[in-house]
């Protein structure tokens, strides 16, 4: 079971930031829901937010891949969280990678205001690049929990999200239809389009070479599309 900060009760004046990160299917949403439910049991006022664009499973709930769900408020941008957090003791934010860097200041303001802020999101994109604003939030957070899924190819702890389609934008919503978790050895970062074709690998057909996968050439890396 992942470590949870020992201080569970909101002290009235001192707030803090907790980040829950990892690859897709690593259990970020489950862990977020678990912490928020415990805060509700402790009769703390809990508000949960997610980006409105994430409509995969529900518009008004955060939902895990295992169909665990908690009511949430969809917002269009990070500033709205500040406006809507009101007198909450605990603020939960899911799919934080879909907010821009403003989220860092918003979380800082909420924590400075005495709130416990729990943020869940992807720390890397489908290319294996740090996925802002999670790395910046990790730097300013009091507590960081990094979770791992099970590699869909070999069963090792998975740190990466392998995109199984040829879509190239940084933001492409999806679940098992488009992504699977992979470990460092099985992850194949897609090459820039000029060097394609990229092979979307079905789990049973994935190569099992012992050689590390080649990284894309630095000179051909695309700028951040977000
Ligand atoms: N390869 C996998 N590794 C781990 N969990 C998986 C995998 N495939 C499906 N799951 C399911 O996904 C659940 C985690 O879902 P979720 O909390 O939504 O993850 P995340 O928010 O990190 O994407 C697990 O409890 C498990 O039931
Ligand atoms: C790697 C990666 C993922 N996404 C999308 C796919 C899903 O809609 C979410 C992640 O959801 P989860 O709760 O962590 O499973 O993000 C993306 O848009 N771009 C990416 O590079
Ligand atoms: Zn693997």
């Amino acid at each position: 079971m992942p470590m949870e900060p020992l201080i569970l009760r909101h002290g009235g004046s001192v707030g803090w930031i907790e980040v829950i990160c990892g690859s897709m299917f690593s259990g970020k949403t489950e862990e977020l829901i678990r912490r928020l439910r415990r805060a509700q049991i402790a009769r703390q006022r809990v508000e949960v937010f997610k980006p409105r664009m994430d409509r995969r499973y529900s518009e008004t709930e955060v939902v895990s891949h295992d169909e665990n769900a908690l009511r949430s408020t969809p917002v269009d941008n990070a500033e709205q969280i500040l406006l809507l957090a009101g007198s909450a003791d605990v603020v939960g934010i899911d799919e934080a990678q879909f907010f821009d860097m403003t989220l860092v200041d918003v979380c800082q303001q909420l924590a400075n205001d005495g709130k416990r802020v729990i943020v869940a999101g992807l720390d890397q994109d489908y290319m294996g690049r740090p996925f802002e604003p999670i790395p910046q939030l990790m730097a300013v957070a009091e507590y960081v929990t990094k979770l791992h899924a099970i590699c869909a190819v070999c069963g090792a702890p998975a740190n990466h999200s392998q995109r199984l389609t040829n879509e190239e934008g940084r933001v492409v919503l999806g679940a098992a239809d488009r992504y699977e978790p992979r470990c460092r050895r099985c992850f194949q970062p897609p090459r820039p389009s000029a060097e394609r074709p990229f092979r979307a690998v079905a789990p049973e057909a994935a190569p099992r070479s012992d050689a590390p996968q080649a990284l894309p050439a630095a000179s051909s890396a695309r700028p951040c599309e977000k």
Side-chain angles (χ1 to χ4, degrees):
M1 180 178 296
M3 292 270 285
E4 182 173 8
L6 294 174
I7 316 158
L8 291 175
R9 181 158 279 282
H10 172 70
S13 59
V14 181
W16 66 88
I17 300 173
E18 300 167 28
V19 172
I20 304 167
C21 66
S23 70
M24 290 182 66
F25 303 95
S26 62
K28 301 182 298 297
T29 300
E30 281 178 349
E31 177 61 13
L32 176 69
I33 292 173
R34 189 182 76 83
R35 292 185 192 182
L36 294 173
R37 288 227 170 101
R38 285 165 61 85
Q40 286 173 334
I41 290 167
R43 295 197 187 83
Q44 295 166 2
R45 286 163 295 188
V46 173
E47 292 290 345
V48 192
F49 300 96
K50 68 173 203 174
R52 195 183 299 280
M53 60 180 285
D54 180 37
R55 297 193 166 103
R56 275 179 310 169
Y57 295 124
S58 163
E59 293 215 8
T60 54
E61 289 175 312
V62 291
V63 185
S64 75
H65 292 298
D66 224 9
E67 297 178 12
N68 204 352
L70 194 67
R71 199 173 59 76
S72 71
T73 304
V75 290
D76 298 309
N77 53 57
E79 288 94 336
Q80 283 185 4
I81 297 175
L82 265 190
L83 298 174
L84 297 170
S87 60
D89 302 307
V90 182
V91 176
I93 304 168
D94 201 12
E95 304 295 349
Q97 73 277 356
F98 293 145
F99 291 104
D100 65 17
M101 289 287 283
T102 315
L103 184 67
V104 181
D105 286 337
V106 166
C107 291
Q108 292 274 54
Q109 284 190 53
L110 292 168
N112 290 343
D113 201 27
K115 299 182 193 306
R116 176 185 180 191
V117 184
I118 316 176
V119 191
L122 291 173
D123 52 357
Q124 293 175 58
D125 68 9
Y126 72 114
M127 300 281 285
R129 300 172 296 200
F131 208 156
E132 307 82 18
I134 298 296
Q136 288 78 6
L137 279 164
M138 289 164 75
V140 299
E142 275 81 358
Y143 305 98
V144 176
T145 303
K146 175 139 178 168
L147 301 175
H148 301 87
I150 308 295
C151 174
V153 177
C154 75
N159 186 34
H160 292 285
S161 306
Q162 181 78 52
R163 187 177 286 173
L164 301 173
T165 67
N166 281 325
E167 291 154 294
E168 290 197 20
R170 191 178 216 190
V171 173
V172 176
L173 301 187
D177 54 332
R178 285 195 162 89
Y179 296 92
E180 69 182 20
R182 298 247 184 120
C183 73
R184 176 180 290 276
R185 201 167 75 156
C186 300
F187 177 57
Q188 293 184 297
R191 294 196 193 96
S193 12
E195 297 177 32
R196 299 227 168 158
F198 163 68
R199 285 177 301 143
V201 188
E204 62 278 9
R208 302 294 297 270
S209 162
D210 283 346
Q213 301 297 326
L215 291 170
S219 58
S220 55
R222 289 194 302 273
C224 166
E225 300 108 344
K226 190 174 156 190

